[in-house]
Amino acid sequence: MNTSKKVMIIVGLLLIVGFIVMLAVPSRKSSLEFEPLDGQIALLHKAYERWFGAPIAILETAPGQVVLCDWLMYRGSAAAESEDMRDWAEKFNANSMDLVVAHSMSADYWASQVSFDEWTAVFNGDEAKRNEIIARCATEAPDIAKAIDADMAAFKSFAANEKLLDQNGKLRDDKRDIFNLIYRHLWVSLAASQLPRTNIEPPEERIAFLRWQVEQSAMQLDKKIQKLMEFEQQNDDSYDFLFALSVLYAQNGMPGEACAVLQEAIAKADDKNETHSFRKERYTKSLNELRRAHPAACH
């Protein structure tokens, strides 16, 4: 074997080894990234157990059955922008009050979960479940079939835009918790006009929905920033809104704005507060990362 062939073989082997090493060594994670929502969802499940206790057999109660019918009619009328939307909202709230008086405040949560389970089954093509709902609601809501179809069509468009559906147009199994979070938000938003929101929505749920909106949803940047500003006004330190704001700016090609937010965050951090101390370290790492990548934008 001549020298040139030996050199080519050695170079080839070195390239292969280098490639393998590159794959084996994990790429450096950016400081300016949102954490996965898995941990937040796990906290949420524990909060549900702590807040609402053992399941209540909603379908075995008369007010529970009526509430589920009212809810679907409200959703359908809202999707179709019908004039009777307000009437169905009032019926839902009145019957929800009857439900919690007859059982407990937890009944509102369990009603939402029964509705979610049935709704997702119908969404994924379960005709038997659809017919069961229509038969059960025949007296309370004769037009419920139309309401279901209108709601499904509207929500399918939304879910597709949020990439919550698989290639067959069904709910992705790995997104079921997110789907439930969105469904719960819609339910609680209506129920809160009759029941105290602080009694039917754990803080972990409110933060989880905010995080989904800001960190993962297809919402426009200005809307996400608006959500963060609304959260800031609540003086709630459970979510690091300044870091979230800096990540949004960085992700949207606005390094100068991201740097300014991080500098503000560092200045506001209280070194005596353990949470703030951790956050300040993250702010500093993120700011240094931005300065290396965008020296002209970060002074």
Side-chain angles (χ1 to χ4, degrees):
M1 184 181 295
N2 58 42
T3 304
S4 61
K5 285 185 177 180
K6 290 181 179 179
V7 171
M8 290 178 63
I9 291 173
I10 292 172
V11 170
L13 289 173
L14 289 174
L15 288 173
I16 292 173
V17 171
F19 181 70
I20 292 173
V21 171
M22 183 176 65
L23 290 177
V25 177
S27 58
R28 181 181 177 184
K29 183 180 178 181
S30 170
S31 299
L32 275 165
E33 289 182 0
F34 290 120
E35 295 293 330
L37 281 181
D38 297 1
Q40 187 73 50
I41 296 297
L43 287 175
L44 182 55
H45 285 308
K46 291 180 180 179
Y48 285 152
E49 293 176 5
R50 186 172 66 253
W51 272 55
F52 304 119
I56 295 174
I58 298 298
L59 290 176
E60 296 179 11
T61 70
Q65 291 184 21
V66 174
V67 163
L68 299 188
C69 298
D70 293 341
W71 167 250
L72 291 176
M73 285 302 301
Y74 166 75
R75 291 296 307 156
S77 61
E81 299 181 348
S82 301
E83 294 180 358
D84 60 353
M85 179 180 71
R86 183 173 296 179
D87 293 336
W88 284 110
E90 291 177 355
K91 288 180 181 179
F92 170 82
N93 282 320
N95 288 317
S96 293
M97 180 59 73
D98 290 342
L99 177 64
V100 301
V101 169
H103 296 277
S104 68
M105 195 68 72
S106 296
D108 176 77
Y109 167 77
W110 289 112
S112 75
Q113 293 307 280
V114 171
S115 180
F116 174 72
D117 289 341
E118 291 195 327
W119 192 93
T120 52
V122 175
F123 190 95
N124 283 339
D126 189 336
E127 284 298 318
K129 180 59 68 176
R130 183 177 185 274
N131 292 334
E132 178 186 323
I133 294 171
I134 292 172
R136 190 172 67 229
C137 297
T139 301
E140 171 74 8
D143 295 329
I144 197 164
K146 294 180 181 178
I148 290 173
D149 292 343
D151 186 24
M152 295 289 172
F155 208 84
K156 188 166 188 175
S157 176
F158 165 82
N161 187 52
E162 294 292 348
K163 297 180 173 54
L164 298 174
L165 305 180
D166 63 21
Q167 59 185 3
N168 297 316
K170 295 184 178 182
L171 169 64
R172 287 171 51 182
D173 289 338
D174 63 327
K175 295 294 183 179
R176 185 176 177 84
D177 283 326
I178 298 301
F179 221 157
N180 190 27
L181 186 63
I182 297 168
Y183 197 86
R184 277 281 301 165
H185 176 75
L186 298 172
W187 179 287
V188 170
S189 295
L190 179 59
S193 57
Q194 180 70 25
L195 303 172
R197 190 162 192 147
T198 52
N199 288 348
I200 61 176
E201 181 186 43
E204 293 88 347
E205 183 174 26
R206 180 171 55 87
I207 295 298
F209 185 72
L210 173 68
R211 285 192 59 186
W212 174 77
Q213 283 185 307
V214 170
E215 299 174 14
Q216 294 188 355
S217 81
M219 188 183 294
Q220 295 295 317
L221 175 62
D222 61 332
K223 296 294 184 182
K224 291 186 175 187
I225 293 176
Q226 180 182 339
K227 294 295 180 183
L228 286 174
M229 295 302 104
E230 291 171 357
F231 178 80
E232 180 192 15
Q233 293 172 5
Q234 298 174 19
N235 294 318
D236 188 335
D237 198 35
S238 58
Y239 182 56
D240 191 350
F241 87 94
L242 282 175
F243 179 74
L245 184 59
S246 69
V247 174
L248 288 178
Y249 280 138
Q251 289 179 343
N252 285 273
M254 305 167 69
E257 288 81 354
C259 287
V261 170
L262 288 170
Q263 288 168 341
E264 176 189 353
I266 292 172
K268 286 184 174 180
D270 181 0
D271 291 331
K272 296 180 181 180
N273 183 306
E274 186 175 345
T275 299
H276 284 208
S277 179
F278 163 77
R279 291 177 178 179
K280 186 174 182 179
E281 183 178 349
R282 182 166 64 174
Y283 301 150
T284 303
K285 287 182 179 178
S286 299
L287 182 59
N288 290 337
E289 182 179 323
L290 279 172
R291 281 172 171 164
R292 288 193 296 268
H294 308 279
C298 297
H299 303 293

